[in-house]
Amino acid sequence: MAATTPAESLQDEASCSICLDYFTDPVMTDCAHNFCRSCITQTWKGRDTDFPCPQCRALSLQRNLRPNRQLANMTEMVKKLSQTSVRPKEEHLCEKHEEKLQLFCKEDKKLVCIICRESRDHKSHTVIPIEEAAQEYKKKLNMHLEPLRKNLENLLKFQSTERKKAADLRTETERKRQIVESEFEELQQCLNKEKKIVLSRLEEEEKKILQRMMENETQLEEQSSSLMQLISEIEEKSQQPAELLKDVKDALSRCQKMKFPKPKAVSTDLKIGFQLSYPRQLKKWITKFGGFDWWVECGRYTANVTLDPETAHPNLILSQDRKSVRSGNRRQNVLDTPQRFDIDPCVLGSEGFSSGRHYWEVEVGDNPFCQLGVCNDSVRRKGEIKLSPEEGLWTLGLWYEEGCWVRTSPVIELPLSERPRAVGILLDYEAGKVSFYDADSKSHVFTFTNTFTNTFTGKLRPFFWTNSEIPLRIRQVPAWN
């Protein structure tokens, strides 16, 4: 490739990269690239925002075009210089005939001279002047430029999207890595604590068994000593007939009366095997990470929740053990105290929580419509209440036919494949979280996060809402093993 001359370089600087011709009314974009005003205006036609530079693809929010007077003056000087040049940039000679290449063969798509046109190779071909051919093919190429620019824009957008997705993935991976490390560290602490307890119980059991064995050994030694003494006396008197016969009655009586009860056998079985079932349960949940946090969190923070009859709506009937509630569909004769709900069929748990983690489960069964969760102890009891975090209530609603909903603003429908028949509720007070689980499948349903302060303030209490005769029952959390 021939080296570019200074004159050719100057012509390139004075040419528009869109139309490939000398600048006409040159303007400058925000990114400092220059174009003909008509070329860039046509390129940006139909856009209201995000104007891309055809040369570097940088985006401008507004259509900012500044006239470049210096470049316009320079372009005019380059044009004049080009006209007076001995060998203009566009002027080339035919290698075969050394004539000026002024024509273009459309069939062969190549520059030819006048002699070439009359030759056998091109005589039957369509030959047109260079200027006419340049305009024709410039239009054809410009028709392809817009789709090409659109494809480039789409590729750049896709590249930007993929880079953002990769960055988001790295961020999410790091977040989950920290969660996993935190959970496993907490689990390790739990296992170390349980290990110490098991080893301590093992040592205590060993001491008890050894103590019983030492007691048996002492008893056997005493019996052996008495027996050896009696045998020695009998053997000694047997050597002297007179002496033997003299005390024979007493000797026989002592032999008959001496009893040697066999000590009770001591079992050496260490009865702490139930503590060693944790590793099996751990292995079970590790195979399903969704259940892992269930075992770590819920299994260790079980709360004994009972219902507070002083808060129950008059239509609600509580069981004698205060572990279940159902609607009686008619008002009972109870005192209308400030603590009692008077419009909505609600009842609170007797227990209040102002720190720590607490977990309980509620059997829902076929109850067609109910709400479960936690609320501030100061929640409004009179008049209709709004079930939302803004009002101090964090609840999950179950509709028999319509599914599962979270009472936020607005209400969120949860895409569950199956409606839970038992709901687990985990309150993490310091973290400002209330989590709901399907207690039977051990799967996570939803977690409220107190986004206002990131932590709760004041006492929180379990919350129950039902207008069905099918009871809601607080059940005992199954044993871990």
Side-chain angles (χ1 to χ4, degrees), residues 418-432:
E418 186 175 353
R419 179 181 186 267
R421 296 184 63 82
V423 176
I425 304 167
L426 174 64
L427 167 64
D428 189 340
Y429 193 94
E430 280 73 19

Side-chain angles (χ1 to χ4, degrees), residues 46-64:
R47 289 180 174 272
D48 296 324
T49 184
D50 293 339
F51 300 98
C53 172
Q55 191 162 338
C56 70
R57 310 309 298 171
L59 296 178
S60 300
L61 296 179
Q62 297 179 351
R63 192 192 299 263
N64 293 329

Side-chain angles (χ1 to χ4, degrees), residues 455-470:
T455 56
F456 295 112
T457 56
K459 184 184 295 185
L460 300 182
R461 296 174 68 176
F463 177 84
F464 305 81
W465 190 110
T466 181
N467 61 359
S468 171
E469 295 181 0
I470 300 176

Side-chain angles (χ1 to χ4, degrees), residues 28-94:
M28 182 186 298
T29 62
D30 288 343
C31 55
H33 288 117
N34 296 282
F35 307 95
C36 299
R37 182 182 294 276
S38 60
C39 292
I40 190 66
T41 302
Q42 181 64 28
T43 301
W44 286 352
K45 185 178 180 180
R47 289 180 174 272
D48 296 324
T49 184
D50 293 339
F51 300 98
C53 172
Q55 191 162 338
C56 70
R57 310 309 298 171
L59 296 178
S60 300
L61 296 179
Q62 297 179 351
R63 192 192 299 263
N64 293 329
L65 296 173
R66 300 188 298 277
N68 193 335
R69 303 302 180 192
Q70 290 180 328
L71 181 58
N73 295 335
M74 188 195 78
T75 301
E76 292 300 322
M77 289 187 288
V78 171
K79 287 181 181 180
K80 294 178 181 179
L81 180 63
S82 173
Q83 293 171 0
T84 59
S85 175
V86 176
R87 184 72 67 186
K89 179 181 179 182
E90 293 79 10
E91 183 176 337
H92 299 280
L93 296 179
C94 175

Side-chain angles (χ1 to χ4, degrees), residues 393-413:
L393 295 103
W394 295 265
T395 63
L396 179 78
L398 297 177
W399 282 256
Y400 186 74
E401 295 181 353
E402 299 183 22
C404 184
W405 299 72
V406 177
R407 300 309 295 250
T408 57
S409 298
V411 175
I412 300 175
E413 182 179 6

